[in-house]
Amino acid sequence: MGVSRLDVFYRRLLLTKLFIGGWGRPEDLRRIFEFRKFIGDREKCKTLVSEDYPVYINKTEELADCLIHDGFFISPLEHLVPGILPPEAVKARFQFIVPKKWQKNRPVCIQLAGTGDHFFWRRRTLMARPMIKEAGMGSLLLENPYYGYRKPKDQLRSCLKNVSDLFVMGGALILESTALLRWLEREGYWPLGMTGISMGGYMASLAVTNWPKPIPLIPCLSWSTASSVFTTGVLSKAVNWTELEKQYAINSVYEKEIINLLEYCGADSFKMRAEQSRGVDSLEHLLGLSGDCRESVGRRVEAGKPSGHCGDPEGRRDRDEYSVPSANSRETNKDLLPSAHSTRHRLKTNSAKCCRPSLHNESISFMKGVMDECTHMANFSVPVDTGLIIVVQAKEDAYIPRTGVLSLQEIWPGCEVRYLNGGHISAYLFKQNVFRQAIYDAFNIFCLKYPNLQ
């Protein structure tokens, strides 16, 4: 199955680069990975968020068909990992949209935001209000950290500044979803479920892995891990690889320490690429990349000189994307620095096949490793009842590649996957009704299986 041309075209409209600040501070990554090990085990997390965690409603607006309650609470992540959230994101904000008159029970679906979904108007218009009209179902729209009112002042639009920001967002949303589910239970709403589109689907999936009860989950246009999104999907072309490669070359802590904290070792893990790991030297030999040349790359970046693309980076980035970094790729001894003339001569003579591919491939491999650590569903507990999960995926999705990664059916046996024709963008624009129907179906299955679980 090919990829959607519309997806490729739409991505080219995104001019702002992702992760312009780089990987994030090593100390932040250490704290996030340590917390991930804890939150990935549902049994360890039963008391992380108290049953009576405080949630507040501060304003109510009445419309023709519904009531809109604006609410807030302090993110539990701020208590558990203090200072990891930017100050603007500490207060979690949400809109709770309910029908004026309930049809049957009081069902509520928590909807998490996809990429670029700031504030609440998009989900309220395309999903929440139609769900009230069609099924009498309420929606709670939680605002993601780094978005809307929770966006840091130095962040440009939706483009997260650091790779680590995505992991902080995920950890926060897992805990915040738990706080909201507990609050909804206290208030007598039932049944409860979770959904999201694209990144919102990933985040909803992560949140449900941590919930200790059966719950409907409807992730739309998401899959088993975010690693493929940023390494092989069309969004990989929007990543600021120049800055990531520079930081990876300069700061050896990423290669020598952070990489050892990565635990996921499934069939699609970068750690399982042992043959490629052992074959790095032979690969570099085939590329004409000598040891001296590799060292000059690291020193050249350390010296603050522009790293520059050799030849066609777009084509080369598709090659051998999972080769594991060589431990000798960063030499910092200034006595070994080559002269400026010899460096220029070496870079000129080796041309496109010399210096760039190794460093870029190492950075891609590291990206896959850290993304799998914090977003791969196999790194988290299996939801209590996978029969309540309906996944909606686009066949030609160029944003969420499914090749080379474990499927959700392998990780969550018993879940249902529904495929749509077309790609990511066309499904988002024209298939919202299909997403809503999947929500209704999952809730109906829940009510049949657990009529007394209130």
Coordinates of all heavy atoms in Angstrom, one line a residue, residues 263-333:
E263 N 15.1 0.9 27.8 CA 14.9 -0.5 28.2 C 14.1 -1.3 27.1 O 14.2 -2.5 27.1 CB 14.0 -0.5 29.5 CG 14.8 -0.1 30.7 CD 14.1 -0.5 32.0 OE1 12.9 -0.6 32.0 OE2 14.8 -0.7 33.0
Y264 N 13.3 -0.6 26.3 CA 12.5 -1.4 25.4 C 13.4 -2.2 24.4 O 14.3 -1.8 23.8 CB 11.6 -0.5 24.5 CG 10.8 -1.3 23.5 CD1 9.9 -2.3 23.9 CD2 11.0 -1.0 22.2 CE1 9.2 -3.0 23.0 CE2 10.3 -1.8 21.2 CZ 9.4 -2.7 21.6 OH 8.7 -3.5 20.7
C265 N 13.1 -3.5 24.4 CA 13.9 -4.4 23.6 C 13.0 -5.4 22.9 O 13.3 -6.6 22.9 CB 15.0 -5.2 24.5 SG 16.4 -5.8 23.6
G266 N 12.0 -4.9 22.2 CA 11.1 -5.8 21.5 C 11.6 -6.1 20.1 O 12.7 -5.8 19.8
A267 N 10.8 -6.8 19.3 CA 11.2 -7.3 18.0 C 11.5 -6.1 17.1 O 12.3 -6.3 16.1 CB 10.1 -8.1 17.4
D268 N 11.0 -4.9 17.4 CA 11.2 -3.8 16.5 C 12.1 -2.7 17.2 O 12.2 -1.6 16.8 CB 9.9 -3.1 16.1 CG 9.0 -2.8 17.3 OD1 9.3 -3.2 18.4 OD2 8.0 -2.1 17.1
S269 N 12.8 -3.1 18.2 CA 13.6 -2.2 19.0 C 14.9 -2.0 18.2 O 15.5 -2.8 17.6 CB 14.0 -2.7 20.4 OG 15.0 -2.0 21.0
F270 N 15.5 -0.7 18.4 CA 16.8 -0.5 17.8 C 17.9 -1.3 18.4 O 18.9 -1.5 17.8 CB 17.1 1.0 17.8 CG 17.7 1.5 19.2 CD1 19.0 2.0 19.2 CD2 17.0 1.4 20.3 CE1 19.5 2.4 20.4 CE2 17.5 1.8 21.5 CZ 18.8 2.3 21.6
K271 N 17.6 -1.7 19.6 CA 18.6 -2.6 20.3 C 18.7 -4.0 19.7 O 19.7 -4.6 19.8 CB 18.2 -2.8 21.8 CG 18.5 -1.5 22.6 CD 18.2 -1.8 24.1 CE 18.5 -0.6 25.0 NZ 18.3 -0.9 26.4
M272 N 17.6 -4.4 19.0 CA 17.7 -5.7 18.3 C 18.4 -5.7 17.0 O 18.6 -6.7 16.4 CB 16.2 -6.1 18.1 CG 15.4 -6.3 19.4 SD 16.1 -7.5 20.5 CE 15.7 -9.0 19.6
R273 N 18.9 -4.5 16.6 CA 19.6 -4.5 15.3 C 21.1 -4.8 15.6 O 22.0 -4.0 15.2 CB 19.5 -3.1 14.7 CG 18.0 -2.6 14.6 CD 17.4 -3.1 13.4 NE 15.9 -2.8 13.4 CZ 15.2 -2.7 12.3 NH1 15.7 -2.9 11.1 NH2 13.9 -2.4 12.4
A274 N 21.3 -5.9 16.2 CA 22.7 -6.2 16.6 C 23.6 -6.4 15.4 O 24.8 -6.0 15.5 CB 22.7 -7.5 17.5
E275 N 23.1 -7.0 14.4 CA 23.9 -7.2 13.2 C 24.4 -5.9 12.6 O 25.5 -5.7 12.2 CB 23.2 -8.1 12.2 CG 23.0 -9.5 12.6 CD 24.3 -10.2 13.0 OE1 25.3 -10.0 12.2 OE2 24.3 -11.0 14.0
Q276 N 23.4 -5.0 12.6 CA 23.8 -3.7 12.0 C 24.7 -2.9 13.0 O 25.6 -2.2 12.5 CB 22.5 -2.8 11.8 CG 21.7 -3.3 10.6 CD 20.4 -2.5 10.4 OE1 19.5 -2.6 11.3 NE2 20.3 -1.8 9.4
S277 N 24.5 -3.1 14.3 CA 25.4 -2.5 15.3 C 26.8 -3.0 15.1 O 27.8 -2.2 15.0 CB 24.9 -2.8 16.7 OG 25.8 -2.4 17.6
R278 N 27.0 -4.3 14.9 CA 28.3 -4.8 14.7 C 28.8 -4.5 13.3 O 30.0 -4.6 13.0 CB 28.3 -6.4 14.9 CG 28.1 -6.8 16.3 CD 28.4 -8.2 16.5 NE 27.4 -9.1 15.9 CZ 26.3 -9.5 16.5 NH1 26.0 -9.1 17.7 NH2 25.4 -10.3 15.9
G279 N 27.9 -4.1 12.4 CA 28.3 -3.9 11.0 C 28.6 -2.4 10.7 O 28.7 -2.1 9.5
V280 N 28.6 -1.6 11.7 CA 28.8 -0.1 11.5 C 30.1 0.1 10.8 O 30.1 0.9 9.8 CB 28.7 0.6 12.8 CG1 29.2 2.0 12.6 CG2 27.3 0.6 13.4
D281 N 31.2 -0.5 11.2 CA 32.5 -0.2 10.6 C 32.5 -0.6 9.2 O 33.0 0.1 8.3 CB 33.6 -1.0 11.4 CG 33.8 -0.3 12.7 OD1 33.5 0.9 12.9 OD2 34.4 -1.0 13.6
S282 N 31.9 -1.8 8.9 CA 31.8 -2.2 7.5 C 31.0 -1.3 6.6 O 31.3 -1.0 5.5 CB 31.3 -3.7 7.4 OG 30.0 -3.8 7.9
L283 N 29.9 -0.8 7.2 CA 29.1 0.1 6.5 C 29.8 1.4 6.2 O 29.8 1.9 5.0 CB 27.8 0.5 7.3 CG 27.0 1.7 6.8 CD1 26.3 1.3 5.5 CD2 25.9 2.1 7.8
E284 N 30.6 1.9 7.2 CA 31.3 3.1 7.0 C 32.4 2.9 5.9 O 32.8 3.8 5.2 CB 31.9 3.6 8.3 CG 30.8 4.1 9.2 CD 31.3 4.3 10.7 OE1 32.4 3.7 11.0 OE2 30.6 4.9 11.4
H285 N 33.0 1.7 5.9 CA 34.0 1.3 4.9 C 33.4 1.4 3.5 O 34.0 2.0 2.6 CB 34.6 -0.1 5.2 CG 35.5 -0.5 4.1 ND1 36.8 0.0 4.0 CD2 35.4 -1.4 3.1 CE1 37.4 -0.6 3.0 NE2 36.6 -1.5 2.5
L286 N 32.2 0.9 3.4 CA 31.5 0.9 2.1 C 31.2 2.3 1.6 O 31.3 2.6 0.5 CB 30.2 0.1 2.1 CG 30.4 -1.4 2.2 CD1 29.0 -2.0 2.5 CD2 31.0 -2.0 1.0
L287 N 31.0 3.2 2.6 CA 30.7 4.6 2.3 C 32.0 5.4 2.1 O 31.9 6.6 1.8 CB 29.8 5.2 3.4 CG 28.4 4.7 3.6 CD1 27.8 5.2 4.8 CD2 27.6 5.1 2.4
G288 N 33.1 4.8 2.3 CA 34.4 5.5 2.2 C 34.6 6.4 3.4 O 35.3 7.4 3.4
L289 N 34.1 6.0 4.6 CA 34.2 6.8 5.8 C 35.2 6.2 6.7 O 35.0 5.2 7.4 CB 32.8 6.8 6.5 CG 32.7 7.7 7.7 CD1 32.9 9.1 7.4 CD2 31.3 7.5 8.4
S290 N 36.4 6.7 6.7 CA 37.5 6.2 7.5 C 37.3 6.7 9.0 O 36.6 7.6 9.3 CB 38.8 6.8 7.0 OG 38.9 8.2 7.2
G291 N 38.1 6.1 9.9 CA 38.0 6.5 11.3 C 38.4 7.9 11.5 O 37.8 8.7 12.2
D292 N 39.5 8.4 10.7 CA 39.9 9.7 10.9 C 38.8 10.7 10.4 O 38.6 11.8 11.0 CB 41.1 10.0 10.0 CG 42.4 9.3 10.6 OD1 42.3 8.9 11.7 OD2 43.3 9.1 9.8
C293 N 38.1 10.3 9.4 CA 37.0 11.2 8.9 C 35.9 11.3 9.9 O 35.3 12.4 10.1 CB 36.5 10.7 7.6 SG 35.4 11.8 6.8
R294 N 35.5 10.2 10.5 CA 34.5 10.2 11.6 C 34.9 11.1 12.7 O 34.1 11.9 13.2 CB 34.3 8.8 12.1 CG 33.5 7.8 11.2 CD 32.9 6.7 12.0 NE 33.8 6.1 12.9 CZ 34.6 5.1 12.6 NH1 34.7 4.6 11.4 NH2 35.4 4.5 13.5
E295 N 36.1 11.0 13.1 CA 36.6 11.9 14.2 C 36.5 13.4 13.8 O 36.2 14.2 14.6 CB 38.0 11.5 14.7 CG 38.0 10.1 15.3 CD 39.4 9.6 15.6 OE1 40.3 10.3 15.2 OE2 39.5 8.5 16.1
S296 N 36.9 13.6 12.6 CA 36.9 15.0 12.1 C 35.5 15.6 12.2 O 35.3 16.8 12.4 CB 37.5 15.2 10.7 OG 36.6 14.7 9.7
V297 N 34.4 14.8 11.9 CA 33.1 15.3 12.0 C 32.7 15.8 13.4 O 32.2 16.9 13.5 CB 32.1 14.2 11.5 CG1 30.7 14.7 11.7 CG2 32.4 13.7 10.1
G298 N 33.0 14.9 14.4 CA 32.7 15.3 15.7 C 33.5 16.6 16.1 O 32.9 17.5 16.7
R299 N 34.8 16.7 15.8 CA 35.5 17.8 16.1 C 35.0 19.1 15.4 O 35.0 20.2 15.9 CB 37.0 17.6 15.8 CG 37.7 16.6 16.8 CD 39.2 16.6 16.6 NE 39.6 16.3 15.3 CZ 39.9 15.0 15.0 NH1 39.9 14.1 15.9 NH2 40.3 14.7 13.7
R300 N 34.6 18.9 14.2 CA 34.2 20.0 13.4 C 32.9 20.6 13.9 O 32.7 21.8 14.0 CB 33.9 19.5 11.9 CG 33.6 20.5 10.9 CD 33.8 20.0 9.5 NE 33.2 20.8 8.5 CZ 32.0 20.5 8.0 NH1 31.3 19.5 8.3 NH2 31.5 21.3 7.0
V301 N 32.0 19.7 14.4 CA 30.8 20.2 15.0 C 31.1 20.9 16.4 O 30.5 21.9 16.7 CB 29.8 19.1 15.2 CG1 28.5 19.6 15.9 CG2 29.4 18.5 13.8
E302 N 32.0 20.2 17.1 CA 32.4 20.8 18.4 C 32.9 22.2 18.3 O 32.7 23.1 19.1 CB 33.4 19.9 19.1 CG 32.9 18.7 19.7 CD 33.9 17.9 20.5 OE1 35.0 18.5 20.8 OE2 33.7 16.7 20.7
A303 N 33.6 22.4 17.2 CA 34.3 23.7 17.0 C 33.2 24.8 16.6 O 33.6 26.0 16.5 CB 35.3 23.6 15.9
G304 N 32.0 24.4 16.4 CA 30.9 25.3 16.1 C 30.8 25.7 14.7 O 30.1 26.6 14.3
K305 N 31.5 24.9 13.8 CA 31.4 25.2 12.3 C 30.2 24.5 11.8 O 29.7 23.5 12.3 CB 32.6 24.6 11.6 CG 33.9 25.3 12.1 CD 35.2 24.7 11.5 CE 36.4 25.3 12.0 NZ 37.6 24.7 11.4
P306 N 29.6 25.1 10.8 CA 28.4 24.5 10.2 C 28.6 23.1 9.7 O 29.6 22.9 9.0 CB 28.0 25.5 9.1 CG 29.2 26.2 8.8 CD 30.0 26.3 10.0
S307 N 27.7 22.2 10.0 CA 27.9 20.8 9.6 C 27.6 20.6 8.1 O 28.2 19.7 7.5 CB 27.1 19.9 10.5 OG 25.8 20.3 10.5
G308 N 26.7 21.3 7.6 CA 26.4 21.3 6.1 C 26.0 19.9 5.6 O 26.6 18.9 6.0
H309 N 25.0 19.9 4.7 CA 24.6 18.6 4.1 C 25.5 18.3 2.9 O 25.8 19.2 2.1 CB 23.2 18.7 3.6 CG 22.2 18.8 4.8 ND1 21.8 17.7 5.5 CD2 21.5 19.8 5.3 CE1 21.0 18.0 6.4 NE2 20.8 19.4 6.3
C310 N 26.0 17.1 2.8 CA 26.7 16.7 1.6 C 25.8 16.0 0.6 O 25.1 15.1 1.0 CB 27.8 15.7 2.0 SG 29.0 16.4 3.3
G311 N 25.7 16.5 -0.6 CA 24.9 15.8 -1.6 C 23.4 16.0 -1.3 O 23.0 17.1 -0.9
D312 N 22.7 15.0 -1.4 CA 21.2 15.0 -1.2 C 20.8 14.3 0.1 O 20.7 13.1 0.2 CB 20.6 14.2 -2.4 CG 19.1 14.1 -2.2 OD1 18.5 14.8 -1.4 OD2 18.5 13.2 -2.8
P313 N 20.6 15.1 1.1 CA 20.3 14.5 2.4 C 18.9 13.8 2.4 O 18.7 12.9 3.2 CB 20.2 15.8 3.4 CG 19.9 16.9 2.5 CD 20.6 16.6 1.2
E314 N 18.0 14.3 1.6 CA 16.7 13.7 1.6 C 16.8 12.2 1.2 O 16.2 11.3 1.9 CB 15.7 14.4 0.6 CG 15.5 15.8 1.0 CD 14.6 15.9 2.3 OE1 13.7 15.0 2.4 OE2 14.7 16.8 3.1
G315 N 17.5 11.9 0.2 CA 17.7 10.5 -0.3 C 18.5 9.7 0.7 O 18.2 8.6 1.0
R316 N 19.6 10.3 1.2 CA 20.5 9.5 2.0 C 19.8 9.2 3.4 O 20.2 8.2 4.0 CB 21.7 10.3 2.3 CG 22.8 9.6 3.0 CD 24.2 10.2 2.8 NE 24.2 11.6 3.1 CZ 24.2 12.6 2.2 NH1 24.2 12.3 0.9 NH2 24.2 13.9 2.5
R317 N 18.9 10.0 3.9 CA 18.3 9.7 5.2 C 17.5 8.5 5.2 O 17.1 8.0 6.2 CB 17.5 10.9 5.6 CG 18.3 12.1 6.0 CD 17.5 13.3 6.3 NE 18.4 14.4 6.7 CZ 18.0 15.6 7.0 NH1 16.7 15.9 7.0 NH2 18.8 16.6 7.3
D318 N 17.1 8.0 4.0 CA 16.3 6.8 4.0 C 17.2 5.5 4.1 O 16.7 4.4 4.1 CB 15.5 6.7 2.7 CG 14.5 7.8 2.6 OD1 14.0 8.2 3.7 OD2 14.1 8.3 1.5
R319 N 18.5 5.6 4.1 CA 19.4 4.5 4.1 C 19.8 4.1 5.5 O 20.1 4.9 6.3 CB 20.7 4.8 3.3 CG 20.5 5.3 1.9 CD 21.9 5.5 1.3 NE 21.8 6.4 0.2 CZ 22.8 7.0 -0.3 NH1 24.0 6.9 0.2 NH2 22.7 7.8 -1.3
D320 N 19.8 2.8 5.7 CA 20.3 2.2 6.9 C 20.0 3.0 8.2 O 20.9 3.4 8.9 CB 21.8 2.0 6.8 CG 22.3 1.1 7.9 OD1 21.6 0.1 8.2 OD2 23.4 1.4 8.5
E321 N 18.7 3.3 8.4 CA 18.3 4.3 9.4 C 18.5 3.8 10.8 O 18.3 4.6 11.8 CB 16.9 4.7 9.2 CG 15.9 3.5 9.3 CD 14.6 3.8 8.5 OE1 14.6 4.9 7.9 OE2 13.7 3.0 8.5
Y322 N 18.8 2.6 11.0 CA 18.9 2.1 12.4 C 20.3 1.7 12.8 O 20.5 0.9 13.8 CB 18.0 0.9 12.6 CG 16.5 1.2 12.4 CD1 15.8 0.5 11.5 CD2 16.0 2.3 13.0 CE1 14.4 0.8 11.2 CE2 14.6 2.7 12.7 CZ 13.9 1.9 11.9 OH 12.6 2.3 11.6
S323 N 21.3 2.1 12.1 CA 22.7 1.8 12.5 C 23.0 2.4 13.9 O 22.7 3.6 14.1 CB 23.7 2.2 11.5 OG 23.5 3.4 10.9
V324 N 23.6 1.6 14.8 CA 23.9 2.1 16.1 C 25.2 2.8 16.2 O 26.1 2.5 15.5 CB 23.9 0.9 17.1 CG1 24.2 1.3 18.5 CG2 22.5 0.2 17.1
P325 N 25.3 3.9 17.0 CA 26.5 4.8 17.0 C 27.7 4.0 17.5 O 27.7 3.1 18.3 CB 26.1 5.8 18.1 CG 24.9 5.3 18.8 CD 24.2 4.4 17.9
S326 N 28.8 4.5 16.9 CA 30.1 4.0 17.2 C 30.6 4.7 18.5 O 30.5 5.9 18.6 CB 31.1 4.2 16.1 OG 32.4 4.0 16.5
A327 N 31.2 4.0 19.4 CA 31.7 4.6 20.6 C 32.9 5.5 20.4 O 33.2 6.3 21.3 CB 32.0 3.5 21.7
N328 N 33.5 5.4 19.2 CA 34.7 6.2 19.0 C 34.4 7.4 18.1 O 35.3 8.0 17.5 CB 35.8 5.4 18.3 CG 36.2 4.2 19.2 OD1 36.3 4.4 20.4 ND2 36.4 3.0 18.6
S329 N 33.1 7.8 18.0 CA 32.8 8.8 17.0 C 33.0 10.2 17.5 O 32.9 11.2 16.8 CB 31.4 8.7 16.5 OG 30.5 8.8 17.7
R330 N 33.3 10.4 18.8 CA 33.6 11.7 19.3 C 35.0 11.8 20.0 O 35.2 11.3 21.0 CB 32.5 12.1 20.4 CG 31.7 13.3 20.0 CD 30.6 12.9 19.1 NE 29.6 12.1 19.7 CZ 29.1 11.1 19.1 NH1 29.4 10.8 17.9 NH2 28.2 10.3 19.7
E331 N 35.9 12.5 19.3 CA 37.3 12.6 19.9 C 37.5 14.1 20.3 O 37.3 15.0 19.4 CB 38.3 12.2 18.8 CG 39.7 12.5 19.2 CD 40.1 11.7 20.4 OE1 40.1 10.5 20.4 OE2 40.4 12.4 21.4
T332 N 37.8 14.3 21.5 CA 37.8 15.7 22.0 C 39.3 16.2 22.3 O 39.5 17.3 22.7 CB 37.0 15.8 23.3 OG1 37.5 14.9 24.3 CG2 35.6 15.5 23.1
N333 N 40.3 15.4 22.1 CA 41.6 15.7 22.3 C 42.1 16.8 21.3 O 42.2 16.5 20.1 CB 42.5 14.5 22.3 CG 44.0 14.8 22.7 OD1 44.4 16.0 22.7 ND2 44.6 13.8 23.2

